[in-house]
Amino acid sequence: MVNPSLPEVPAGDALRPYDLRCEHRGTPLGIGTPVPRLSWRLASDRRGDAQDAYRIRVHSRGALVWDSGWVEGQDVSADYGGAPLASFTRYTWRVETRPGGAAESWFETGVMHQDEWVAAWIGHDPETEPPFEPPTDEGEPRSARTAGLPAPRYFRRVLDLPPVTAVRIACTARGLYELRVNGHRVGDGELTPGWTDYRQRVPYQVYDVTDLAGDGPLCVAAILADGWWSGSLGWDMRQQAQRYGRRPQLLVQLVAEHENGSRTVVGTDGRWRESTGPLRHADLLMGEWYDARLEQPGWDLPGFDDSSWAPAGVVDTAHDVLVPSAAEPVRVTQDLVPVDVRPGDGRTIVDLGQNIAGRVRLVVRGAPAGARITLRHGEALDDDGGLYTANLRSAEATDHYVAAGAPVETFEPRFTVHGFRYVEVSGHTDVEVVGRVMHSDTPVAGEFSCSDDMVRRLMSNIRWSQRGNFVSVPTDCPQRDERLGWTADAQVFLPTACYNADVAAFFTDWLADLRCAQTAEGAVPDVVPHVMTERHGTPGWGDAATVVPWHLYRVYGDERVLRDSLPSMRRWVDHVERHNPDLIWRNRTGSHYGDWLQAGVRTSREVMATAYFALSAELTSKAAAVVGDVAASAHYAGLRSRIGDAFVRAFVSADGRVTGDTQTGYLLALAHGLIPEPLVPAAVGHLVADLEDRGRRLTTGFAGVGLLGPVLSAHGHHDLAYSLLHDDRYPSWGYSIKRGATTIWERWDGWTEEGGFGPVAMNSFNHYALGSVGAWLYGGVAGIGQEEGSVGFRRPLIRPLPGGRLRWAAASYDTPLGRLGSQWEVEGDTLRLEVRIPPGAEATVHVPTTDPASVRESGTPVTGEAVGGALACRVASGRYEFTAAWAR
Ligand code: RAM
């Protein structure tokens, strides 16, 4: 499977803005902030090009509403500064740069003032409604059995409006919805409105349905299911099902504009009608049950006779929880044609060749009415070639389709998602299956490739695990009865995630849920959104509160994330300090998972916790400095320094050993500057000795694994780092790849020769945490990074690491300024390095060489400074081709 490639960048000799975004999104509808941030990237093939000034003009309804005037400088973003934004209005904006070109884009607002909401939350009256009773056989979904969940509901209302010029619909659910207008599905979002901390924030989406409206009556319809709101969630069905509410509810507000400029606003109310339909049951973990015999043709068209439908019940009119959807929705982004279809014994096993999160589209031919076709999903096959589902725990991941008896029927579930590579189809043999890949549609931002098949596969597995686990929130896994926003998984993987995709909007939204969930005393929960109330305050997990905002700021250069998060960062650090006055984090360690899933060792929990405490204090100090809170910055810098002293006193011996003597202990201490300078070589020596003594095998778990490459290479041990990268013995990434992994496994021993499948209680084959090595492939191997202190890649640092089995490696990455690229190749005794620096950036390039005097750029000698096996030189924007002497 190839990785999705980066979109082309405009080429040419003149500076040009491109890829215009509003609030980190392309052309969003439903912007809710009064001061949206507008940003653009720059392209130019001319060396040394930089933007000297920009000017933004925003128009709405033919009138100029903001002219920034010419603003000198290199900023590639600006906050809207014009007349107050009106609701449901399109704003086109144009940015011009000097020198150079111009580009145009638009955004639309949603509901700008809470009092503009008229829609009520509607649902159905549970008293009138019998629960779904499927045939009592093995196919019965357990969630329906235990919780007696009612069937999903269908809603509709017909509106007679004067002729319209534009129609927008704002829609959301406490649950999941599919919106339809005049028989057509609206939008391409899946699992909408997405998952947030519904108690405080329910996101709504805005759609442009003008083209569906026509001249006659308008039928607005929706299907409503439980989803995260009232369906099964997590692993404890009794506690978790119906976590937020008992029944799903719908909220729709339509705003139609007419020729004379007037508006009609209509919201959901008791005039809507509702009914059950062919979708009998839908649950994220369990799957769907669709009975095509129960279809009511035309139910979403104006002419339909809904006299047998019931009036919808009005639940409440709470609008204060409504927030504009801030990130791209989940979408189906790719179809996978099976690589193998194995019929047998009434059950056909279909292999998509790739472990994904998603669902299938099923085509059924010649099934008699009432035939039930069952689709079971799994990540692996057992020894007999049957579907392996033990690791799904209680998630049934099973869809049922009951045929209507037509010659050809098509079924695709709507309100469920499975983590799977294999599908078992039973109940009918003449079937066709296509895999539908689903994930939050974060734009592709980076590409990495190299000459080694296994390393390429590793990056592909990382990328697929990112896709499979960014499903509205960053989850641990997409398959079993868990799929929760585990905070450590997210924070250790974030640097890798940022290289692969533009996750600014995605994580900014998740951080809002993190802040909602912080406890009164400042503890951060282990999972966000917060659904396991008893778990919070855990070292490495809670620290997502500081690590995530800081990293987002560094990568995307948007300081608002720090402004929004600083109070939460402070409360988190204060909480840890309050309970650990001697600054060794021993108390209030929450669920303390340590270096989770480490291989065969036990990193000291106090070492790990205290290292994170130091890191969080440091990041809080830096964030306070950015926000301009000098006193807070000094306070947390002081705290950081005292934690550092305490760490050294408690854990670092005079010969540079760190208590516990484990790889993760050294990695954390070295990466976070906790080893006194004179002892650093000794500590590095102990780390290296541990690896060598184990025959170059890693022992790291979630907390340490992402630091192996960066720390080893920072201290001159890239050979060792490459040994680990290329290793295929247990435990290693290569070990899973040798076994055919197409995603990153949760645990090093997900499957072993000796034991077969790992412990079923916890064995996901799609978990990205151990894939946090990806950041080192981009930042180390291909060498795309930024200088310490640089923000938004203003000062890129290109420092590739030729080595290992690699003959070449290449990476490209869309920084906020524009595209950055690095590609190296070794041929005989020459190394060639091509770099691409975006306009306005001032880069340092370390050209790897065994002879600094040999370095040439496009044939011309280069001046620079010889540093550790490279010639470091400064370059401005443009493309450069270096050659240098190289000896292995
Ligand atoms: C597991 C999750 C997750 C991890 C926690 C501690 O259940 O899958 O990856 O963060 O435990």
Side-chain angles (χ1 to χ4, degrees):
M1 179 51 48
V2 291
N3 285 329
S5 23
L6 289 178
E8 278 302 314
V9 162
D13 248 3
L15 187 79
R16 261 176 73 178
Y18 74 104
D19 199 10
L20 274 52
R21 281 150 295 133
C22 171
E23 289 290 308
H24 300 287
R25 298 172 68 192
T27 45
L29 281 91
I31 287 294
T33 162
V35 189
R37 180 156 294 187
L38 308 173
S39 55
W40 56 97
R41 293 192 162 94
L42 297 167
S44 166
D45 292 335
R46 197 166 50 199
R47 283 196 181 173
D49 238 359
Q51 170 192 289
D52 296 330
Y54 72 83
R55 178 180 187 178
I56 294 174
R57 270 173 286 192
V58 183
H59 284 84
S60 174
R61 301 175 187 279
L64 180 71
V65 293
W66 185 45
D67 182 350
S68 70
W70 281 101
V71 180
E72 303 294 319
Q74 306 215 342
D75 279 346
V76 284
S77 71
D79 291 342
Y80 172 77
L85 299 175
S87 294
F88 292 106
T89 302
R90 177 168 297 208
Y91 292 86
T92 51
W93 64 284
R94 180 184 167 83
V95 59
E96 273 175 86
T97 59
R98 219 173 40 209
E104 206 173 275
S105 188
W106 58 264
F107 65 89
E108 277 195 22
T109 48
V111 176
M112 298 303 292
H113 309 284
Q114 287 290 338
D115 60 9
E116 291 174 288
W117 286 106
V118 301
W121 290 97
I122 59 169
H124 59 274
D125 182 356
E127 300 307 311
T128 64
E129 207 249 343
F132 170 54
E133 277 169 31
T136 39
D137 62 20
E138 46 129 41
E140 177 186 347
R142 195 175 334 177
S143 55
R145 201 159 59 218
T146 52
L149 291 181
R153 311 300 294 202
Y154 290 64
F155 293 82
R156 55 178 269 122
R157 168 131 202 249
V158 178
L159 303 169
D160 275 309
L161 301 172
V164 296
T165 52
V167 187
R168 299 287 183 272
I169 291 182
C171 185
T172 188
R174 290 166 168 158
L176 300 177
Y177 73 83
E178 179 182 302
L179 178 67
R180 304 183 71 85
V181 167
N182 285 352
H184 295 277
R185 189 182 157 188
V186 175
D188 58 0
E190 303 289 343
L191 308 179
T192 46
W195 186 17
T196 50
D197 198 326
Y198 295 135
R199 283 165 290 231
Q200 300 181 55
R201 316 168 62 229
V202 181
Y204 68 88
Q205 283 80 34
V206 174
Y207 303 98
D208 179 353
V209 298
T210 312
D211 290 346
L212 300 176
D215 285 340
L218 191 68
C219 178
V220 186
I223 314 174
L224 181 68
D226 292 301
W228 293 284
W229 170 264
S230 45
S232 5
L233 195 58
W235 60 76
D236 188 330
M237 288 305 139
R238 282 153 313 152
Q239 287 171 17
Q240 307 275 352
Q242 308 195 345
R243 161 67 56 185
Y244 294 97
R246 295 218 18 100
R247 299 279 187 271
Q249 299 148 32
L250 176 73
L251 185 139
V252 177
Q253 185 153 321
L254 174 143
V255 179
E257 286 191 16
H258 310 291
E259 259 147 30
N260 62 4
S262 68
R263 279 184 173 188
T264 308
V265 180
V266 184
T268 32
D269 59 20
R271 283 173 290 180
W272 285 58
R273 300 188 72 78
E274 59 111 351
S275 164
T276 54
L279 186 56
R280 301 301 298 150
H281 182 71
D283 185 88
L284 288 167
L285 298 180
M286 300 303 163
E288 276 195 19
W289 185 297
Y290 189 92
D291 189 337
R293 295 171 303 178
L294 302 175
E295 280 174 4
Q296 304 185 40
W299 73 276
D300 50 3
L301 288 171
F304 180 78
D305 174 10
D306 60 15
S307 54
S308 66
W309 288 34
V314 173
V315 181
D316 65 54
T317 55
H319 297 138
D320 53 342
V321 291
L322 294 170
V323 294
S325 191
E328 291 303 311
V330 173
R331 291 194 177 98
V332 171
T333 61
Q334 192 178 342
D335 280 354
L336 294 181
V337 175
V339 296
D340 188 29
V341 178
R342 225 169 302 159
D345 201 14
R347 285 161 200 269
T348 306
I349 298 274
V350 177
D351 179 2
L352 297 181
Q354 174 61 53
N355 199 19
I356 63 167
R359 63 191 184 210
V360 300
R361 185 172 52 220
L362 172 75
V363 178
V364 182
R365 289 197 178 78
R372 172 146 59 88
I373 297 116
T374 298
L375 302 163
R376 296 171 64 230
H377 302 74
E379 294 185 289
L381 297 181
D382 59 26
D383 290 344
D384 307 323
L387 195 71
Y388 178 77
T389 57
N391 68 326
L392 307 188
R393 303 195 305 221
S394 72
E396 287 174 1
T398 302
D399 300 321
H400 302 273
Y401 178 72
V402 182
V408 182
E409 301 179 39
T410 304
F411 165 64
E412 186 170 341
R414 295 177 163 86
F415 299 122
T416 192
V417 58
H418 311 298
F420 68 105
R421 167 175 171 172
Y422 301 93
V423 192
E424 180 208 82
V425 188
S426 60
H428 193 68
T429 46
D430 194 354
V431 294
E432 230 175 81
V433 159
V434 171
R436 308 272 283 158
V437 177
M438 288 163 69
H439 54 90
S440 285
D441 197 6
T442 52
V444 174
E447 257 176 343
F448 169 89
S449 193
C450 68
S451 56
D452 184 78
D453 287 347
M454 198 191 83
V455 178
R456 274 206 310 273
R457 182 79 240 183
L458 173 61
M459 181 51 90
S460 170
N461 291 4
I462 291 169
R463 207 184 259 283
W464 275 106
S465 281
Q466 177 164 341
R467 296 173 88 185
N469 281 296
F470 282 9
V471 178
S472 189
V473 305
T475 64
D476 58 332
C477 59
Q479 73 296 84
R480 67 180 178 222
D481 55 359
E482 188 153 357
R483 315 182 189 186
L484 301 173
W486 286 94
T487 40
D489 306 42
Q491 67 88 1
V492 302
F493 188 68
L494 180 66
T496 301
C498 290
Y499 276 116
N500 281 328
D502 181 344
V503 296
F506 178 79
F507 269 102
T508 304
D509 193 34
W510 183 72
L511 276 178
D513 285 333
L514 184 147
R515 294 191 297 266
C516 283
Q518 215 165 350
T519 67
E521 57 167 11
V524 174
D526 297 4
V527 299
V528 170
H530 191 22
V531 288
M532 296 195 302
T533 40
E534 75 287 7
R535 294 197 194 211
H536 49 72
T538 306
W541 273 252
D543 298 287
T546 60
V547 174
V548 175
W550 179 256
H551 193 77
L552 292 180
Y553 167 67
R554 270 213 81 200
V555 170
Y556 300 110
D558 186 341
E559 77 297 338
R560 295 176 305 173
V561 71
L562 296 183
R563 235 183 276 146
D564 292 343
S565 287
L566 184 61
S568 142
M569 298 168 89
R570 298 183 60 166
R571 290 177 59 222
W572 167 242
V573 174
D574 294 350
H575 161 74
V576 177
E577 185 189 4
R578 193 177 319 120
H579 294 287
N580 297 280
D582 68 351
L583 307 184
I584 300 300
W585 189 358
R586 295 190 189 88
N587 309 314
R588 291 301 200 107
T589 52
S591 329
H592 217 331
Y593 309 105
D595 184 19
W596 188 239
L597 299 177
Q598 55 203 316
V601 299
R602 217 179 130 84
T603 289
S604 155
R605 293 184 170 215
E606 289 169 12
V607 166
M608 176 187 145
T610 308
Y612 265 107
F613 185 21
L615 174 65
S616 278
E618 178 170 339
L619 300 183
T620 305
S621 162
K622 288 179 165 173
V626 173
V627 167
D629 188 338
V630 182
S633 180
H635 169 78
Y636 291 99
L639 176 62
R640 160 63 183 82
S641 137
R642 284 182 291 118
I643 300 169
D645 295 343
F647 185 95
V648 173
R649 274 198 308 276
F651 305 125
V652 185
S653 62
D655 65 351
R657 276 190 199 280
V658 172
T659 299
D661 213 17
T662 65
Q663 293 169 19
T664 294
Y666 289 111
L667 291 167
L668 286 168
L670 287 162
H672 303 318
L674 292 162
I675 306 284
E677 215 40 56
L679 294 180
V680 166
V684 172
H686 297 309
L687 168 64
V688 169
D690 183 89
L691 281 156
E692 296 289 3
D693 289 350
R694 293 170 188 276
R696 302 196 152 195
R697 279 182 167 88
L698 56 78
T699 61
T700 48
F702 281 27
V705 67
L707 303 175
L708 280 165
V711 170
L712 287 171
S713 44
H715 294 284
H717 293 279
H718 20 280
D719 268 13
L720 196 44
Y722 270 112
S723 295
L724 299 172
L725 181 66
H726 293 315
D727 197 3
D728 64 4
R729 304 160 303 166
Y730 172 80
S732 67
W733 298 282
Y735 187 71
S736 68
I737 291 170
K738 219 170 47 178
R739 170 72 190 167
T742 61
T743 38
I744 300 293
W745 292 356
E746 173 175 28
R747 45 198 311 145
W748 299 113
D749 61 354
W751 183 93
T752 56
E753 269 108 8
E754 304 75 51
F757 285 113
V760 294
M762 214 187 73
N763 193 22
S764 144
F765 292 105
N766 198 354
H767 233 78
Y768 49 55
L770 297 182
S772 49
V773 61
W776 182 69
L777 297 179
Y778 279 99
V781 173
I784 285 189
Q786 60 179 329
E787 304 255 14
E788 184 75 39
S790 160
V791 168
F793 287 83
R794 287 259 161 209
R795 286 183 287 128
L797 175 61
I798 304 284
R799 190 163 48 186
L801 284 178
R805 293 202 297 252
L806 303 188
R807 212 171 34 74
W808 63 267
S812 298
Y813 175 65
D814 285 337
T815 73
L817 279 176
R819 186 152 303 169
L820 185 64
S822 160
Q823 175 162 5
W824 60 262
E825 181 168 20
V826 174
E827 237 180 74
D829 53 7
T830 305
L831 177 134
R832 284 191 293 116
L833 172 67
E834 283 180 40
V835 304
R836 177 178 187 167
I837 310 296
E842 287 168 26
T844 304
V845 180
H846 289 237
V847 185
T849 183
T850 36
D851 173 15
S854 70
V855 176
R856 300 280 180 281
E857 194 286 309
S858 304
T860 312
V862 174
T863 46
E865 193 193 332
V867 276
L871 183 75
C873 52
R874 301 202 153 267
V875 300
S877 66
R879 292 168 186 261
Y880 299 85
E881 288 185 27
F882 297 94
T883 54
W886 184 254
R888 270 185 185 254

CSV table of all heavy atoms in Angstrom, one decimal, residues 235 393 476-477 480 482 486-489 526 535 541 593 596-597 702 746 762 767 769, ligand 1:
chain,number,residue,atom,x,y,z
A,235,TRP,N,-14.8,-0.6,27.9
A,235,TRP,CA,-14.9,-2.0,28.1
A,235,TRP,C,-15.9,-2.5,29.1
A,235,TRP,O,-16.3,-3.7,29.1
A,235,TRP,CB,-13.5,-2.6,28.5
A,235,TRP,CG,-12.9,-2.1,29.8
A,235,TRP,CD1,-13.3,-2.4,31.0
A,235,TRP,CD2,-11.9,-1.1,29.9
A,235,TRP,NE1,-12.6,-1.7,31.9
A,235,TRP,CE2,-11.7,-0.9,31.2
A,235,TRP,CE3,-11.1,-0.5,28.9
A,235,TRP,CZ2,-10.7,0.0,31.7
A,235,TRP,CZ3,-10.1,0.4,29.4
A,235,TRP,CH2,-9.9,0.6,30.8
A,393,ARG,N,-12.1,-8.6,22.6
A,393,ARG,CA,-12.9,-8.6,23.9
A,393,ARG,C,-14.4,-8.6,23.6
A,393,ARG,O,-14.9,-9.4,22.8
A,393,ARG,CB,-12.4,-7.5,24.8
A,393,ARG,CG,-10.8,-7.6,25.0
A,393,ARG,CD,-10.3,-6.8,26.2
A,393,ARG,NE,-10.6,-5.4,26.2
A,393,ARG,CZ,-9.8,-4.4,26.5
A,393,ARG,NH1,-8.6,-4.7,26.8
A,393,ARG,NH2,-10.2,-3.1,26.5
A,476,ASP,N,-6.5,4.8,21.4
A,476,ASP,CA,-5.4,3.8,21.5
A,476,ASP,C,-5.6,2.8,20.5
A,476,ASP,O,-4.6,2.3,19.9
A,476,ASP,CB,-5.5,3.2,22.9
A,476,ASP,CG,-6.8,2.5,23.2
A,476,ASP,OD1,-7.8,3.0,22.7
A,476,ASP,OD2,-6.8,1.6,24.0
A,477,CYS,N,-6.8,2.4,20.1
A,477,CYS,CA,-7.0,1.3,19.2
A,477,CYS,C,-8.4,1.4,18.6
A,477,CYS,O,-9.3,2.0,19.2
A,477,CYS,CB,-6.9,-0.1,20.0
A,477,CYS,SG,-8.1,-0.2,21.3
A,480,ARG,N,-11.0,-3.2,19.7
A,480,ARG,CA,-11.6,-3.8,20.8
A,480,ARG,C,-12.6,-2.9,21.6
A,480,ARG,O,-12.7,-1.7,21.1
A,480,ARG,CB,-10.5,-4.4,21.8
A,480,ARG,CG,-9.7,-3.3,22.4
A,480,ARG,CD,-8.7,-3.9,23.3
A,480,ARG,NE,-7.9,-2.9,23.9
A,480,ARG,CZ,-6.5,-2.9,24.1
A,480,ARG,NH1,-5.9,-4.0,23.6
A,480,ARG,NH2,-5.9,-2.0,24.7
A,482,GLU,N,-12.6,-0.6,23.6
A,482,GLU,CA,-11.8,0.4,24.3
A,482,GLU,C,-11.9,1.7,23.5
A,482,GLU,O,-12.7,2.5,23.7
A,482,GLU,CB,-10.4,-0.1,24.5
A,482,GLU,CG,-9.6,0.8,25.4
A,482,GLU,CD,-8.5,0.1,26.2
A,482,GLU,OE1,-8.4,-1.1,26.1
A,482,GLU,OE2,-7.8,0.9,27.0
A,486,TRP,N,-6.6,7.8,25.2
A,486,TRP,CA,-5.5,7.6,26.1
A,486,TRP,C,-4.5,8.7,25.9
A,486,TRP,O,-3.9,8.9,24.8
A,486,TRP,CB,-4.9,6.3,26.1
A,486,TRP,CG,-5.7,5.2,26.6
A,486,TRP,CD1,-6.6,4.4,25.9
A,486,TRP,CD2,-5.8,4.8,28.0
A,486,TRP,NE1,-7.3,3.5,26.8
A,486,TRP,CE2,-6.8,3.7,28.1
A,486,TRP,CE3,-5.2,5.2,29.2
A,486,TRP,CZ2,-7.1,3.1,29.3
A,486,TRP,CZ3,-5.5,4.6,30.4
A,486,TRP,CH2,-6.5,3.5,30.4
A,487,THR,N,-4.2,9.5,27.0
A,487,THR,CA,-3.5,10.7,26.9
A,487,THR,C,-2.0,10.4,26.6
A,487,THR,O,-1.3,11.2,25.9
A,487,THR,CB,-3.6,11.5,28.2
A,487,THR,OG1,-3.6,10.7,29.3
A,487,THR,CG2,-4.9,12.3,28.1
A,488,ALA,N,-1.4,9.4,27.2
A,488,ALA,CA,0.0,9.1,26.9
A,488,ALA,C,0.2,8.7,25.5
A,488,ALA,O,1.2,9.1,24.8
A,488,ALA,CB,0.6,8.1,27.8
A,489,ASP,N,-0.6,7.8,25.0
A,489,ASP,CA,-0.5,7.4,23.6
A,489,ASP,C,-0.5,8.6,22.7
A,489,ASP,O,0.4,8.7,21.8
A,489,ASP,CB,-1.7,6.5,23.2
A,489,ASP,CG,-1.9,5.3,24.2
A,489,ASP,OD1,-1.8,5.5,25.4
A,489,ASP,OD2,-2.2,4.2,23.7
A,526,ASP,N,-6.7,10.1,32.5
A,526,ASP,CA,-6.0,9.1,31.6
A,526,ASP,C,-6.5,9.0,30.2
A,526,ASP,O,-5.8,8.7,29.3
A,526,ASP,CB,-6.0,7.7,32.3
A,526,ASP,CG,-5.3,7.7,33.6
A,526,ASP,OD1,-4.9,8.7,34.1
A,526,ASP,OD2,-5.2,6.5,34.2
A,535,ARG,N,-9.9,7.4,36.9
A,535,ARG,CA,-8.5,7.3,36.5
A,535,ARG,C,-8.0,8.7,36.0
A,535,ARG,O,-8.5,9.3,35.0
A,535,ARG,CB,-8.4,6.4,35.3
A,535,ARG,CG,-8.7,5.0,35.6
A,535,ARG,CD,-8.1,4.1,34.5
A,535,ARG,NE,-8.6,2.7,34.7
A,535,ARG,CZ,-8.0,1.7,34.3
A,535,ARG,NH1,-6.8,1.7,33.8
A,535,ARG,NH2,-8.5,0.5,34.5
A,541,TRP,N,0.8,10.3,31.4
A,541,TRP,CA,-0.5,10.4,30.8
A,541,TRP,C,-1.0,11.8,31.0
A,541,TRP,O,-1.2,12.6,30.0
A,541,TRP,CB,-1.4,9.3,31.4
A,541,TRP,CG,-1.4,8.0,30.7
A,541,TRP,CD1,-2.3,7.5,29.9
A,541,TRP,CD2,-0.3,7.1,30.7
A,541,TRP,NE1,-1.9,6.3,29.4
A,541,TRP,CE2,-0.7,6.0,29.8
A,541,TRP,CE3,1.0,7.0,31.3
A,541,TRP,CZ2,0.2,4.9,29.6
A,541,TRP,CZ3,1.8,5.9,31.0
A,541,TRP,CH2,1.4,4.9,30.2
A,593,TYR,N,1.2,3.7,35.2
A,593,TYR,CA,1.4,2.5,34.4
A,593,TYR,C,2.9,2.3,34.1
A,593,TYR,O,3.3,1.4,33.4
A,593,TYR,CB,0.7,2.7,33.0
A,593,TYR,CG,-0.8,3.1,33.2
A,593,TYR,CD1,-1.2,4.4,32.9
A,593,TYR,CD2,-1.7,2.1,33.5
A,593,TYR,CE1,-2.5,4.7,33.0
A,593,TYR,CE2,-3.0,2.4,33.6
A,593,TYR,CZ,-3.5,3.7,33.3
A,593,TYR,OH,-4.8,4.0,33.4
A,596,TRP,N,4.9,1.8,30.1
A,596,TRP,CA,3.9,0.8,29.7
A,596,TRP,C,4.3,-0.1,28.6
A,596,TRP,O,4.9,0.4,27.6
A,596,TRP,CB,2.6,1.6,29.3
A,596,TRP,CG,1.4,0.8,29.0
A,596,TRP,CD1,0.7,0.7,27.9
A,596,TRP,CD2,0.7,0.0,30.0
A,596,TRP,NE1,-0.4,-0.1,28.0
A,596,TRP,CE2,-0.4,-0.5,29.3
A,596,TRP,CE3,0.9,-0.3,31.3
A,596,TRP,CZ2,-1.3,-1.4,29.9
A,596,TRP,CZ3,0.0,-1.1,32.0
A,596,TRP,CH2,-1.1,-1.7,31.3
A,597,LEU,N,4.2,-1.4,28.9
A,597,LEU,CA,4.5,-2.5,27.9
A,597,LEU,C,6.0,-2.5,27.5
A,597,LEU,O,6.3,-2.9,26.4
A,597,LEU,CB,3.6,-2.3,26.6
A,597,LEU,CG,2.1,-2.5,26.9
A,597,LEU,CD1,1.2,-2.3,25.7
A,597,LEU,CD2,1.8,-3.9,27.6
A,702,PHE,N,6.1,2.5,26.1
A,702,PHE,CA,5.5,3.7,25.5
A,702,PHE,C,6.4,4.9,25.8
A,702,PHE,O,6.5,5.8,25.0
A,702,PHE,CB,4.1,3.9,26.1
A,702,PHE,CG,3.0,3.1,25.5
A,702,PHE,CD1,3.3,1.8,24.9
A,702,PHE,CD2,1.7,3.5,25.5
A,702,PHE,CE1,2.3,1.1,24.4
A,702,PHE,CE2,0.7,2.8,25.0
A,702,PHE,CZ,1.0,1.5,24.4
A,746,GLU,N,0.2,-3.1,19.5
A,746,GLU,CA,0.2,-2.5,20.8
A,746,GLU,C,1.4,-2.9,21.6
A,746,GLU,O,2.0,-2.1,22.4
A,746,GLU,CB,-1.1,-2.9,21.5
A,746,GLU,CG,-1.1,-2.6,23.0
A,746,GLU,CD,-2.4,-2.9,23.6
A,746,GLU,OE1,-3.1,-3.9,23.2
A,746,GLU,OE2,-2.8,-2.2,24.6
A,762,MET,N,-5.4,-7.9,26.3
A,762,MET,CA,-4.9,-6.7,25.8
A,762,MET,C,-4.0,-6.9,24.7
A,762,MET,O,-2.8,-6.9,24.9
A,762,MET,CB,-4.3,-5.9,27.0
A,762,MET,CG,-4.5,-4.4,26.9
A,762,MET,SD,-3.5,-3.7,28.2
A,762,MET,CE,-1.8,-3.8,27.5
A,767,HIS,N,-2.1,0.1,17.2
A,767,HIS,CA,-1.9,0.9,18.4
A,767,HIS,C,-0.7,1.8,18.0
A,767,HIS,O,0.4,1.2,17.8
A,767,HIS,CB,-1.5,0.0,19.5
A,767,HIS,CG,-2.4,0.2,20.8
A,767,HIS,ND1,-3.6,-0.3,20.9
A,767,HIS,CD2,-2.1,0.8,22.0
A,767,HIS,CE1,-4.0,-0.1,22.1
A,767,HIS,NE2,-3.1,0.6,22.8
A,769,ALA,N,1.3,3.9,19.7
A,769,ALA,CA,2.4,4.4,20.6
A,769,ALA,C,3.8,3.9,20.2
A,769,ALA,O,4.7,4.7,20.2
A,769,ALA,CB,2.0,4.0,22.0
B,1,RAM,C1,-4.4,0.3,27.6
B,1,RAM,C2,-4.6,1.3,26.5
B,1,RAM,C3,-3.6,2.4,26.3
B,1,RAM,C4,-2.7,2.6,27.5
B,1,RAM,C5,-3.4,2.2,28.7
B,1,RAM,C6,-2.5,2.4,30.0
B,1,RAM,O1,-5.6,-0.2,27.9
B,1,RAM,O2,-4.7,0.5,25.3
B,1,RAM,O3,-2.7,2.1,25.2
B,1,RAM,O4,-2.4,4.0,27.5
B,1,RAM,O5,-3.8,0.9,28.7
